[in-house]
Amino acid sequence: MKGIITVLGKDKVGIIAKVCTYLAERNVNILDISQTIVQDYFNMMMIVDISQAAKSTEVLVEELQQIGEEIGVEIKLQHEDIFNIMHRI
Amino acid sequence: MISLVEVQETNKMIREMNLDVRTITMGISLMDCAHTDLKVFNQKIYDKITKSAEKLVKTGEDLEKQFGVPIVNKRISVTPISIAAGSLNTDSYVPVAEALDKAAKEVGVNFIGGFSALVQKGCTTGDRKLIESIPEALAVTERVCSSVNVGSSRSGINMDAVKLMGEIIRQTAERTADRDSIGCAKLVVFCNAVEDNPFMAGAFHGVGERECVINVGVSGPGVVKRALEEVKGQDFETLCETIKRTAFKVTRVGQLVAQEASKRLGVPFGIIDLSLAPTPLIGDSIAEIFQVMGLEEAGAPGTTAALAILNDNVKKGGVMASSYVGGLSGAFIPVSEDHGMIQAVQRGALTLEKLEAMTCVCSVGLDMIAIPGDTSRETISGIIADEAAIGMVNNKTTAVRLIPVIGKGVGEMVEFGGLLGYAPIMPVNSFNCAGFIDRGGRIPAPIHSFKN
């Protein structure tokens, strides 16, 4: 099962490090990362494999959101299906 | 491969344009609960509802997290009580409504629909008892919703029921006068009611449905509005194409949630209702869509045409996205639940008569309209008869949800709270129609050939 993580917020040092460390600790594998910075705003999308994750998707969603609040960015984890179904027939 | 642009588009729709799955409604048949003893019957329906919907709210919340899309309401609809309780030995169905309310609270859903009767051709003893129980049932319960189908294209309009409903709406208003007559916000009078509608207050689990089913209602007026802003000033083909594309995307989200919910709950998936249902939030309004289409206010000349375009293209886009589209599907035009409509009423652009004209091309009817508290029962019946006639002749569903606000008059505001919103009280044509309504009997069904 794949998930999409999006991170949006003011750019600063250590955002990727924080997210990646968390994912590594929960046994979530990162499959792809793309990232842009537009006028100081950090915008990242990650495709991750959550099938082997140590915790349920719901817990991952909550904990990532908390990490986001701590460092002042918005972090979302969503099941990939919502994007696939919306944009592909 | 999923692209960053697509991900951003989806999340923008959710975050900024109020894209949501409006409701997951579990339909539960109560046919097997029939019993002659009130206590036994109440226990049976309570047990069946709480057992079937045990995991409904939790599943809804889990899906909300997993996909990151809000699922606003989790609800239940049941077999019309007048049918399920037909063999009951009792004078009043109020205790049944209380049992439904208790079950709804137990499983955590905000509304339970189905305190209903289908009387388009005539009333049984049970139907009459149920209808007479409505005012008290809606006053003493919090989450129970009620509906009565008084007409259909096949059987005509039951004018005895129309007459009775004028009286029932007044009584319901009076019983909840201390709360701005909120009871009437939970009561709908239908013509051509559908059996798989997930939207309250008119939801019930039809007799042609299976044991238990998951129906999902999606919504996204904000998304449509924003998409139309991008093509401002362009021709009608572009306008229609844009609505269609957007409706497709919105419906796909509903389809995903519906399938996943049905899988997790082990309950078959029924239908997606691809309606545009507004909320009192700014940016989540049908009236704002009309403004983006080029009208100064909802109600301006052109509004009926604009609504017809919107309704048709929502359907065209949606049917490609899901094979099981049902319910009411189209645009809802409630007044109190749409801040743009409220504004249009306040500015004098939108009248009851224009709303009635608009109901010829929208998915429901006169919805959530506050009228003066001293409106007579005959006048309410007259409005119901007009609206039912539109539905009957045009082979479509129409509904009336009027709220005569006891103690208040034209121009005053009434506040219902939450998704029910707030509304200015609208003037009603008060010329007498008692001689027409008091005739009673039934209006015969219209002829189905010679279509025009």
Side-chain angles (χ1 to χ4, degrees), chain A residues 4-55:
Chain A
I4 309 290
I5 295 176
T6 46
V7 183
L8 189 65
K10 201 126 179 109
D11 191 25
K12 65 167 85 170
V13 175
I15 298 176
I16 298 184
K18 194 102 185 177
V19 176
C20 291
T21 311
Y22 171 84
L23 295 176
E25 283 166 0
R26 303 297 181 283
N27 201 34
V28 175
N29 194 26
I30 299 168
L31 306 173
D32 187 35
I33 299 186
S34 64
Q35 178 222 316
T36 53
I37 293 172
V38 184
Q39 290 182 340
D40 287 348
Y41 270 86
F42 179 85
N43 204 330
M44 179 173 80
M45 178 182 92
M46 266 180 185
I47 302 178
V48 295
D49 179 0
I50 44 178
S51 52
Q52 307 296 319
K55 294 197 171 173

Side-chain angles (χ1 to χ4, degrees), chain A residues 43 62 74 79 85 88, chain B residues 1 8 15 65-66 252:
Chain A
N43 204 330
E62 264 174 31
E74 194 187 306
H79 195 289
I85 202 153
R88 311 268 184 287
Chain B
M1 192 69 177
Q8 280 173 335
R15 192 177 7 222
K65 273 195 193 136
Q66 184 162 359
R252 292 288 279 184

Side-chain angles (χ1 to χ4, degrees), chain B residues 391-439:
Chain B
M392 173 181 77
V393 171
N394 295 299
N395 280 305
K396 74 182 288 297
T397 305
T398 49
V400 173
R401 187 158 51 147
L402 292 178
I403 306 142
V405 186
I406 304 297
K408 291 198 174 169
V410 173
E412 285 187 80
M413 290 297 289
V414 52
E415 179 83 50
F416 301 116
L419 277 181
L420 296 176
Y422 61 101
I425 293 172
M426 294 177 80
V428 171
N429 183 327
S430 55
F431 283 91
N432 199 326
C433 61
F436 181 73
I437 295 300
D438 287 342
R439 283 171 181 272

